[in-house]
Amino acid sequence: MVLVDRKCKIIHHSQVGPEVYVLGIDAVDVAKHALPGQFVMIGVRGKSAFDPLLRRPFSIAWTDHVKGMIFIFYRVVGRGTRLLSEYMPGTGLELLGPLGRGFSLEVSGRRILVGGGLGIAPIIFLYKWIKASGASATCILGARTGDELLGALKASDISLEDVIITTEDGSLGKKGLVTGPLAKCLDHIGGDATIQACGPAPMLKAVSNLSNHKVRLLEVSLESYMACGIGLCLGCAHKKRGDSEEYVHICKDGPVFDARDVVL
Amino acid sequence: MGEIRELSDINLEVSLGPIRLKNPVMLASGTCGYGRELTPHLDLNSIGAVVVKGISLEPRPGNPPPRIFETPCGLLNAIGLENVGVKAFLTEKLPWLKDQGISTVVNILGNSVEEYKRLCSILSEESQSILAIEINVSCPNVKAGGVAFGRTPEGTYEVVRHVVEVTEIPIIVKLSPNVTDITSIAQAAQDAGAHAISLINTILAMAIDIEKKRPLLGNTFGGLSGPAIKPIALRMVWEAHRAVDIPVIGIGGISTWKDAVEFLMAGASAIQIGTATLVEPGSAKKILDGLTRFMRQKGYREVEALWID
């Protein structure tokens, strides 16, 4: 297991939508060992030593083995991501990773990938991984607007024709949510299919409801506030499915879970 | 000859009563798991001691999320003392620490004097592999938890007096800052027979989600840690050191070696690194190295020479 904790340089940083950015970081060893669904913790402290205090978790959106880079895809949602968006190429960022348990890579039967919003990041990584291994999958990606999806797809070298796209404003692909195309897909498959999904909580719940009893396995990637990212603080608890009061920890047990094991 | 004459023979060892540490840098409970989780990032044998996650008689699931929230220069947490319970600790966690020869302090918590006593009795069976027991009388997170004891001198005295009777393992009492007068609590711990005190635990605090119009943490209240609380912690360590004769372990927002020096100058004999480990898992080693360098350069031959009289 390779685990890096050091300063890594920003190589690429571009805005691809309103408040949405793609960030490419020079981290050859992380790029080499990262698996789809894994994440990194990135320090966003600038010159101020302790503010913001904590590193932020980001899914790895894809890797580039030739250039030795990893890419993340993020939206400005708070102080940390605002600061991050102002960093220029050449800046060093504290990077810890790759972390967590990712998606199952070997699955039997048909495979459907579903990504919504920023949740498209690990789905893009997984899709590229599957393609590179010579296998195939149906990939459904959704966003609010077309801009951010187009930017991410362009940066990650995924052809628009290869994926099914939905946007809430109808500016790209089908108007609506990812559950539309997913429902259609599910009408035409046998029971031996796997869905692997990442996106906002309501999307994951809808995907789970739609796929109930129709697929062999549904894997979901969850998110949470995190302090350490390595299982020290137990801060990223998420309720297990069942009557007992038990929790999983997203950073260590996940972020990818069998949907049967967690409350969605 | 340079301007600064560096010392080569400084002694980093400290004795907290019967507790011997190879150096004064410890890892604080709740921020280093059960030790093993940190091994890719830190050589646990290079530091003074590891204080493992607080242990209760029975396993605890912890609080509903959200459990953590970042505040300016601080971390608000309401983990809820989630832990595997003493039985699993002894069978699954302690053997590894023992095998590695890691100086291990076991933090414990209970809902009654009886529970603290039972925990100490059970841990006494492994007294060879436990350097000390740290009694949490202060964690503010669980409603029925240790709060009641640590809030008053009487409550603190009650717990400590009983645990020192049932175990040979040295006792450290971890004090809560959420009290009117830290010196009376520190004295109560000393009077009851504690071998050392550690302070401060987190400061009771909260945050509100203004969009949802409700408290941000699942438990409403949480404990504040990190650089934001350092000046408060430092003041309390200063006060406690001057109120008791037993050694004081300084805790509270220590993030750099300079912070560590401040706590030692305030009168601490050792320090614990907490939130800084969550931010950067290798922090403790950097702090130890910086402290060592400072002592050499300034000519402090031993840790307690840093004390301000």
Side-chain angles (χ1 to χ4, degrees):
Chain A
M1 187 186 75
V2 164
L3 184 50
V4 163
D5 184 7
R6 62 174 155 79
K7 222 160 205 181
C8 298
K9 209 177 264 187
I10 298 176
I11 302 291
H12 170 98
H13 203 175
S14 61
Q15 187 165 7
V16 296
E19 304 281 35
V20 180
Y21 294 79
V22 168
L23 179 70
I25 305 166
D26 177 26
V28 62
D29 30 11
V30 183
K32 194 171 166 197
H33 295 277
L35 300 171
Q38 287 192 301
F39 67 100
V40 290
M41 297 293 288
I42 294 181
V44 292
R45 300 190 286 202
K47 287 178 185 133
S48 156
F50 301 122
D51 203 30
L53 184 63
L54 305 171
R55 299 182 189 188
R56 268 58 175 162
F58 295 94
S59 283
I60 299 169
W62 66 88
T63 59
D64 183 327
H65 290 231
V66 179
K67 292 180 183 152
M69 289 165 68
I70 64 161
F71 288 82
I72 64 164
F73 184 55
Y74 69 95
R75 187 191 308 278
V76 172
V77 291
R79 235 156 37 90
T81 41
R82 167 70 61 207
L83 271 172
L84 184 59
S85 73
E86 289 161 4
Y87 287 156
M88 305 298 286
T91 311
L93 293 173
E94 296 290 344
L95 184 91
L96 173 64
L99 300 167
R101 284 174 27 161
F103 290 105
S104 298
L105 295 175
E106 305 289 330
V107 303
S108 62
R110 179 138 177 223
R111 198 164 188 178
I112 306 167
L113 314 185
V114 186
L118 294 173
I120 67 170
I123 297 299
I124 287 176
F125 192 2
L126 181 59
Y127 182 65
K128 285 171 79 84
W129 183 285
I130 293 167
K131 293 267 280 187
S133 72
S136 68
T138 302
C139 183
I140 307 169
L141 301 176
R144 289 184 208 160
T145 69
D147 298 350
E148 60 193 64
L149 259 182
L150 271 179
L153 290 177
K154 197 173 160 217
S156 62
D157 257 339
I158 289 180
S159 159
L160 274 176
E161 287 75 46
D162 283 356
V163 293
I164 299 168
I165 286 173
T166 65
T167 49
E168 288 176 44
D169 66 356
S171 58
L172 187 71
K174 297 186 178 70
K175 188 173 191 311
L177 303 169
V178 289
T179 41
L182 176 63
K184 273 191 192 156
C185 255
L186 289 170
D187 284 342
H188 299 102
I189 57 163
D192 189 30
T194 296
I195 299 178
Q196 296 174 302
C198 182
M203 183 201 104
L204 294 179
K205 198 172 172 68
V207 169
S208 170
N209 290 340
L210 266 181
S211 61
N212 213 1
H213 305 302
K214 288 186 181 165
V215 297
R216 191 178 56 78
L217 172 67
L218 166 61
E219 281 185 337
V220 292
S221 176
L222 302 179
E223 62 173 6
S224 160
Y225 284 123
M226 281 184 194
C228 68
I230 53 175
L232 302 175
C233 69
L234 310 180
C236 57
H238 186 99
K239 193 145 187 316
K240 267 192 198 173
R241 193 166 291 212
D243 298 329
S244 65
E245 192 195 351
E246 281 183 82
Y247 298 94
V248 292
H249 302 100
I250 291 177
C251 75
K252 199 85 178 177
D253 304 322
V256 177
F257 294 91
D258 183 327
R260 285 168 294 203
D261 296 338
V262 289
V263 172
L264 291 177
Chain B
M1 292 290 280
E3 280 179 53
I4 301 162
R5 193 167 56 87
E6 294 206 2
L7 290 180
S8 54
D9 58 340
I10 65 166
N11 179 15
L12 286 170
E13 283 175 26
V14 289
S15 294
L16 311 172
I19 309 161
R20 300 289 293 272
L21 303 179
K22 67 169 80 86
N23 65 59
V25 178
M26 307 166 74
L27 296 180
S29 181
T31 59
C32 56
Y34 299 102
R36 197 169 189 168
E37 296 90 329
L38 256 182
T39 47
H41 309 278
L42 186 67
D43 173 11
L44 298 177
N45 279 307
S46 70
I47 54 164
V50 174
V51 189
V52 295
K53 177 81 188 152
I55 301 292
S56 48
L57 273 178
E58 301 299 328
R60 286 191 190 228
N63 284 331
R67 290 180 172 187
I68 52 169
F69 186 68
E70 186 186 77
T71 58
C73 298
L75 171 63
L76 197 49
N77 89 81
I79 307 301
L81 304 173
E82 176 180 342
N83 77 91
V84 297
V86 70
K87 200 173 156 195
F89 172 73
L90 289 177
T91 55
E92 295 163 22
K93 309 294 183 185
L94 190 62
W96 181 84
L97 291 157
K98 189 176 172 179
D99 283 351
Q100 304 293 310
I102 293 162
S103 297
T104 304
V105 176
V106 183
N107 181 290
I108 62 164
L109 51 114
N111 292 328
S112 64
V113 170
E114 214 39 53
E115 282 188 22
Y116 282 107
K117 279 171 70 176
R118 281 195 55 203
L119 277 161
C120 286
S121 303
I122 295 168
L123 292 173
S124 294
E125 291 163 25
E126 287 290 340
S127 59
Q128 295 307 309
S129 24
I130 299 173
L131 184 69
I133 294 173
E134 184 180 66
I135 313 274
N136 177 8
V137 288
S138 52
C139 198
N141 287 335
V142 172
K143 292 181 190 85
V147 174
F149 299 107
R151 280 270 169 101
T152 62
E154 296 77 19
T156 306
Y157 183 86
E158 182 76 2
V159 178
V160 179
R161 186 175 62 85
H162 281 97
V163 298
V164 294
E165 277 171 12
V166 298
T167 183
E168 297 291 305
I169 303 174
I171 298 292
I172 301 166
V173 185
K174 185 169 182 177
L175 306 186
S176 166
N178 306 305
V179 296
T180 311
D181 175 17
I182 197 76
T183 62
S184 61
I185 313 269
Q187 282 159 355
Q190 173 174 270
D191 294 345
H195 299 93
I197 52 175
S198 57
L199 69 158
I200 60 175
N201 205 323
T202 56
I203 297 176
L204 196 57
M206 72 179 294
I208 289 174
D209 183 333
I210 60 168
E211 296 299 328
K212 294 178 179 159
K213 201 189 180 192
R214 67 179 189 213
L216 220 144
L217 293 173
N219 187 55
T220 303
F221 295 159
L224 184 64
S225 66
I229 73 166
K230 197 199 82 182
I232 300 172
L234 195 61
R235 184 265 298 174
M236 287 190 160
V237 164
W238 177 283
E239 286 184 321
H241 170 65
R242 280 150 184 82
V244 296
D245 299 319
I246 53 175
V248 174
I249 303 168
I251 322 169
I254 299 174
S255 308
T256 68
W257 65 265
K258 289 180 183 174
D259 296 336
V261 170
E262 280 194 76
F263 274 83
L264 296 168
M265 287 188 170
S269 298
I271 50 136
Q272 291 182 13
I273 313 296
T275 304
T277 302
L278 304 180
V279 176
E280 187 184 337
S283 292
K285 186 67 171 56
K286 284 192 182 172
I287 289 169
L288 175 61
D289 291 346
L291 170 67
T292 310
R293 213 166 39 240
F294 177 79
M295 287 176 62
R296 282 219 172 94
Q297 285 174 358
K298 299 287 184 183
Y300 294 105
R301 289 184 189 277
E302 53 187 37
V303 173
E304 289 179 358
L306 288 160
W307 287 359
I308 296 169
D309 292 329

